[in-house]
């Protein structure tokens, strides 16, 4: 569980994070979404104590990160994938981390396998592609078998296979009951992996919602109906919780609050012909700030 309360970070006059309040709960994937410069990385750095809030606070499992005795076992974070000694092999990098945190060597081997790095584990990390470096960063984040996993733009630089791997991994981690917090500037990516969304812009909280609710609010789940008798059908359909709109002179109606099945049945009961009856769901897939 991550809890931010009035979390604020100013750099001089500029507010990178502005009074953010949010809670990231265990058992689901929470997407942290916003355009470049919205304050996502700064927020994540404050979560793991790499930056100090100007005001407000953020805790992980009820305590500030730096107050945890075994922070690596509490929160696994991928912030800057390239922060690896280039001359060290992937195995040695992970093993050094493990040795300094009381983590057994068997766990190093486990995460190398889990991150798909077995064939390159002995190679210098400096020669890794961006995608391999990203996998190594994720292996390091998972090393302590942490309850909370936080990844900053993890799909950056990954090939399609890697992207798919990340999606499955995030879902699995959430299914295991962990808190999964993952940032992206791509709505399309978040729509595929996140259950919950925290959306920020210019350091401020814009929305704290589920993907489902966001789609609904964006006008999703309406039904398009085409009939030669739109006025009569509209009168039959409208009621509490049902909204039917259409333009004068047009045979087309947009109905919200009813299923195509309910509309079709009502039309049939009153002998109203239908030329088209289709569910329209708004997709978030095309939205991005990139
Ligand atoms: N150390 C710093 N000194 C001054 N300004 C900073 C510093 N770090 C971040 N900023 C500024 O704070 C704002 C938020 O940056 P941040 O990196 O947190 O955003 P972001 O949402 O993670 O975007 P990106 O995906 O581009 O990293 C930006 O305007 C950035 O220029």
């Amino acid at each position: 569980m991550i809890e931010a309360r009035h979390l604020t970070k100013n750099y001089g006059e500029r507010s990178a994070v502005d009074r953010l309040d949010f809670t990231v709960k265990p058992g689901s994937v929470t997407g942290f979404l916003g355009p470049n410069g919205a304050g996502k990385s700064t927020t994540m750095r404050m979560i793991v104590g790499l930056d100090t809030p100007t005001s407000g606070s953020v805790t992980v499992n009820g305590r500030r990160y730096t107050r945890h005795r075994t922070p690596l076992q509490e929160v696994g974070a991928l912030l800057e994938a390239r922060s690896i000694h280039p001359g060290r092999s992937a195995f040695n990098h992970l093993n050094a981390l493990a040795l300094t945190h009381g983590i057994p060597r068997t766990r190093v081997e486990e995460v190398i396998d889990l991150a798909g790095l077995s064939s390159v584990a002995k190679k210098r990390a400096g020669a890794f592609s961006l995608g391999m470096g990203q996998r190594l960063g994720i292996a390091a984040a998972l090393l302590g078998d942490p309850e909370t996993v936080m990844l900053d733009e993890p799909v950056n630089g990954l090939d399609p296979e890697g992207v798919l791997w990340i999606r499955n991994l995030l879902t699995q981690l959430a299914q295991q009951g962990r808190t999964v917090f993952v940032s992206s500037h791509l709505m399309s990516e978040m729509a595929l992996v996140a259950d919950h969304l925290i959306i920020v812009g210019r350091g401020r909280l814009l929305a704290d919602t589920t993907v489902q609710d966001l789609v609904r609010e964006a006008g999703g789940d309406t039904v398009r109906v085409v009939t030669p008798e739109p006025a009569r059908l509209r009168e039959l359909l409208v009621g509490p919780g049902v909204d039917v709109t259409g333009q004068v002179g047009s045979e087309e109606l947009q109905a919200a609050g009813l299923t195509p099945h309910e509309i079709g049945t009502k039309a049939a009961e009153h002998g109203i012909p239908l030329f088209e009856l289709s569910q329209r769901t708004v997709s978030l897939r095309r939205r991005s700030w990139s």
Side-chain angles (χ1 to χ4, degrees):
M1 173 103 85
I2 302 170
E3 290 171 289
R5 297 289 167 260
H6 270 67
L7 187 64
T8 299
K9 180 71 185 180
N10 299 331
Y11 289 112
E13 295 281 286
R14 200 186 175 99
S15 193
V17 175
D18 193 1
R19 289 163 291 166
L20 276 191
D21 280 301
F22 62 80
T23 301
V24 185
K25 294 188 183 134
S28 58
V29 178
T30 300
F32 194 26
L33 188 65
N36 293 117
K40 305 181 298 295
S41 301
T42 305
T43 302
M44 288 184 153
R45 282 202 306 273
M46 287 193 282
I47 293 173
V48 290
L50 291 174
D51 254 338
T52 315
T54 306
S55 59
S57 66
V58 63
T59 59
V60 182
N61 302 336
R63 282 184 195 186
R64 270 187 289 163
Y65 179 83
T66 48
R67 292 280 170 91
H68 283 287
R69 277 175 163 231
T70 53
L72 209 65
Q73 276 100 323
E74 209 76 39
V75 190
L78 168 76
L79 293 182
E80 177 55 68
R82 286 287 168 183
S83 56
I84 297 165
H85 190 297
R88 226 175 241 171
S89 71
F91 177 85
N92 285 342
H93 169 69
L94 293 170
N95 202 36
L97 270 178
L99 285 170
T100 48
H101 288 83
I103 295 166
R105 189 190 164 108
T106 49
R107 180 64 187 161
V108 174
E109 279 149 14
E110 255 172 49
V111 293
I112 284 178
D113 194 35
L114 198 146
L117 290 170
S118 302
S119 61
V120 293
K122 297 281 158 63
K123 293 200 173 136
R124 282 176 56 243
F128 276 16
S129 65
L130 186 57
M132 280 299 172
Q134 205 74 334
R135 282 174 183 260
L136 180 54
I138 291 165
L142 299 177
L143 192 62
D145 199 12
E147 276 307 301
T148 299
V149 178
M150 189 173 80
L151 309 175
D152 195 4
E153 303 264 3
V155 300
N156 268 3
L158 290 183
D159 55 14
E161 189 203 330
V163 172
L164 205 60
W165 170 72
I166 283 277
R167 286 181 196 151
N168 291 334
L169 177 72
L170 295 175
T171 309
Q172 270 173 27
L173 292 169
Q175 279 168 355
Q176 290 162 1
R178 295 177 213 258
T179 302
V180 183
F181 193 39
V182 51
S183 79
S184 178
H185 62 280
L186 294 170
M187 178 76 95
S188 50
E189 190 52 38
M190 289 294 97
L192 289 174
V193 296
D195 312 293
H196 201 92
L197 289 175
I198 291 166
I199 307 177
V200 285
R202 294 188 190 165
R204 297 223 174 137
L205 186 70
L206 299 180
D208 185 342
T209 182
T210 62
V211 171
Q212 234 177 0
D213 284 350
L214 192 69
V215 169
R216 200 172 301 134
E217 278 164 29
D221 298 338
T222 58
V223 179
R224 178 181 137 95
V225 194
V226 181
T227 170
E229 298 185 50
R232 209 174 129 226
L233 182 61
R234 185 178 178 282
E235 235 165 75
L236 287 168
L237 296 178
V238 286
V242 178
D243 190 26
V244 184
T245 54
Q247 297 204 341
V248 182
S250 163
E251 292 189 332
E252 184 183 324
L253 294 173
Q254 305 290 342
L258 288 172
T259 63
H261 187 274
E262 288 164 333
I263 295 169
T265 307
K266 193 70 130 190
E269 279 168 9
H270 293 81
I272 298 177
L274 296 184
F275 301 149
E276 190 180 326
L277 182 63
S278 56
Q279 180 91 49
R280 185 176 152 268
T281 302
V282 168
S283 166
L284 301 178
R285 290 193 187 173
R286 286 180 181 278
R287 298 191 180 191
S288 101
W289 284 287
S290 58

